[in-house]
Amino acid sequence: MSAFALRLARSTMRVVKGIGVAAVLSAAFLLLIVLTDGAGSGLVAWCVTTGLAVAVALRRDRRRTEASRAARVALFLPIVLAAALTASVCVPTVPTARRHPPVLPSVAMQHWHLSTGSRVAVYHYPPTGPAPRPAVPLVYLNGGPVRGISMLDHRFLRLLASQGHDVYAYEPAGAGRSGLLPMDQYSLFRSVRDLAAVLDHLGAAKDQAATKADILGFSSGAVVLTRALATPMVAAHIHRAIIAEPGPMDGPTARIDGQHGRPTARGLAPAMTGPRSTHVPRYAVAFGLMRLGLLDPDTGLIGQAEGDNAFTAADLGGDTASAYCARDAHRIPAEDSARNFSFSPAASLRVQRTVKDSPSLAPRLKHSRTPAMLMIAECSSQVRQWATAVLAADPGIRRTQYLPGVGHHLWNGLDDNNRRAAAVITAFLRDEPAPLPDYPKRADIPAFLHAHQ
């Protein structure tokens, strides 16, 4: 072998060995991130990893007194590279204080300070149009679980108001323009208490000792509503309830791996465009480890406010497409604007964990007598048993409306879907004949589930 070839082989071996060393150090850093729960914005793990690596390298260098300059560079270069790479996980790239979306000019908003300690942003759409005014207001609980109300939802709420409904909507604590909570206070049970406090506040705003309201709960908002129906002191203030596309209502339901609706646009729709926080090493590591359950939502790696500021609509990935039918894959509307979008990944994970850890709700829900309606989408991405479990357990459900041609986001601005969803809601609240067949009924549950195997 020629001298040149020998030098080339040695250089190649050094590069390969250096890459291996850098990979090992990076893996050790991630392990320490998990073990320290990201303490000090990850700097504790970074200092320990880098310090140990430098100490080992210096010891090895002292043993190689005759080592060439190239050998010494090969010894320390992987450490420098790994230190630079892992340092990017410790440096915030967005503000660490919460940046709330700007005020919407199209709707009146107030901040209500609730008796629970939460500070929530409340939107009011007064009734318009020639339709008769309702006796009670309609309160909307959006999905998330800790997500701001999208522009698509605001347009639908405006449509409901045009049909005579007195619509109120609030963003849950930690979302949108609402105030943050300490991370350990986010839970399904806190969400129910906040709903009760909103209803109390609504009564005070209308100069009434106690106000009943119709409640429309969508997705995780439907889970909050279902839990409220099983809580007598809260249910006493609910006039009628609309449970739209519910998530799992308790731990046993959350563990069901059952059937879904007709095919959705997930995997068919073009990839969402726009910046992603997960393209930044800091947030890719933080959100990825949180999702895997290796970091606590209250991790020291990133604060709640920073995580909320960093997370973008594009980070939702295929979750947005899964809310639409497969046939709509190439015409999915923009659900929100970049300035209005707000989602708290850490707080949402915290709430979801409290749902998964909760015991069966069915024994309590069977005592519910509040008139209720269940709405189910044909192309739902939700497990069918999440909806049928509520139907089976809640004797207050008077009708079920199975909406063809729509996915999980029932009012999505496509075709006449908003109008159809509003017609279903209005008919129930006014105790008018249902626009669609009452299906599935409780007796239809086995056949309904069999049809979606």
Side-chain angles (χ1 to χ4, degrees):
M1 180 182 294
S2 67
F4 173 78
L6 185 60
R7 286 196 300 270
L8 180 61
R10 287 175 177 172
S11 298
T12 303
M13 289 298 295
R14 289 193 190 105
V15 171
V16 171
K17 188 175 180 180
I19 293 173
V21 170
V24 169
L25 290 175
S26 299
F29 169 75
L30 293 178
L31 178 60
L32 283 170
I33 285 285
V34 173
L35 293 177
T36 62
D37 198 25
S41 195
L43 287 172
V44 172
W46 186 86
C47 290
V48 171
T49 305
T50 305
L52 288 176
V54 170
V56 170
L58 287 173
R59 184 167 182 173
R60 290 181 62 191
D61 187 52
R62 281 197 297 268
R63 292 177 178 176
R64 300 163 64 179
T65 56
E66 300 300 323
S68 65
R69 179 177 296 179
R72 286 196 169 104
V73 170
L75 187 62
F76 286 95
L77 184 58
I79 298 174
V80 173
L81 292 175
L85 176 63
T86 54
S88 65
V89 177
C90 306
V91 180
T93 59
V94 299
T96 56
R98 184 69 177 102
R99 292 183 307 182
H100 294 285
V103 174
L104 293 174
S106 58
V107 58
M109 186 203 78
Q110 292 182 330
H111 279 109
W112 288 2
H113 294 266
L114 306 181
S115 58
T116 58
S118 297
R119 179 176 180 268
V120 297
V122 182
Y123 306 88
H124 184 207
Y125 287 98
T128 59
R133 298 298 185 262
V136 298
L138 171 61
V139 176
Y140 175 60
L141 307 179
N142 68 307
V146 186
R147 180 175 180 174
I149 299 174
S150 70
M151 297 305 298
L152 196 62
D153 279 2
H154 276 294
R155 286 193 286 272
F156 181 67
L157 298 178
R158 190 177 298 112
L159 173 61
L160 290 176
S162 72
Q163 297 188 351
H165 301 287
D166 189 14
V167 182
Y168 287 83
Y170 69 93
E171 290 170 316
R177 298 160 185 85
S178 294
L180 304 182
L181 295 176
M183 188 58 69
D184 61 358
Q185 292 187 23
Y186 290 104
S187 71
L188 171 62
F189 316 104
R190 174 60 175 263
S191 299
V192 174
R193 292 196 298 271
D194 279 353
L195 170 60
V198 165
L199 296 179
D200 287 342
H201 202 291
L202 188 58
K206 292 182 175 293
D207 296 323
Q208 299 178 15
T211 291
K212 281 201 169 188
D214 295 323
I215 311 291
L216 167 60
F218 166 66
S219 193
S220 59
V223 177
V224 174
L225 175 55
T226 302
R227 178 75 51 166
L229 293 173
T231 308
M233 292 187 65
V234 185
H237 297 284
I238 301 176
H239 179 247
R240 287 184 174 236
I242 301 170
I243 304 167
E245 280 285 287
M249 65 179 180
D250 53 30
T253 310
R255 288 187 283 272
I256 294 175
D257 184 18
Q259 298 93 342
H260 297 264
R262 304 299 181 203
T264 73
R266 191 182 187 99
L268 302 175
M272 292 189 68
T273 59
R276 292 175 183 254
S277 67
T278 48
H279 289 169
V280 180
R282 177 173 175 81
Y283 307 112
V285 169
F287 296 147
L289 293 179
M290 272 193 271
R291 194 178 184 98
L292 292 172
L294 298 176
L295 279 185
D296 189 82
D298 198 16
T299 175
L301 182 57
I302 61 170
Q304 177 189 172
E306 182 189 348
D308 294 359
N309 292 338
F311 201 87
T312 69
D315 286 319
L316 294 173
D319 287 350
T320 298
S322 69
Y324 294 82
C325 292
R327 70 180 188 184
D328 296 325
H330 294 280
R331 60 171 193 155
I332 293 176
E335 293 192 342
D336 213 348
S337 66
R339 298 188 71 197
N340 186 66
F341 177 81
S342 168
F343 183 84
S344 177
S348 293
L349 281 173
R350 181 90 183 183
V351 173
Q352 289 169 347
R353 288 182 187 177
T354 64
V355 175
K356 293 177 181 178
D357 293 340
S358 65
S360 175
L361 187 64
R364 292 170 51 192
L365 191 57
K366 70 179 182 181
H367 299 293
S368 174
R369 295 297 179 269
T370 304
M373 176 178 72
L374 179 65
M375 296 177 70
I376 304 176
E378 179 184 15
C379 308
S380 177
S381 55
Q382 308 288 77
V383 174
R384 287 302 194 196
Q385 284 89 336
W386 294 350
T388 58
V390 178
L391 177 60
D394 185 357
I397 294 180
R398 297 185 176 181
R399 67 175 68 164
T400 303
Q401 299 285 270
Y402 177 80
L403 279 75
V406 293
H408 178 58
H409 209 148
L410 296 160
W411 39 88
N412 54 35
L414 297 176
D415 303 327
D416 64 343
N417 293 335
N418 283 18
R419 182 193 59 78
R420 290 194 299 141
V424 164
I425 292 168
T426 298
F428 175 70
L429 295 181
R430 294 179 180 164
D431 202 20
E432 297 172 350
L436 300 171
D438 185 7
Y439 171 81
K441 298 181 180 180
R442 289 180 186 83
D444 301 322
I445 290 176
F448 179 73
L449 294 177
H450 179 76
H452 295 277
Q453 288 182 346

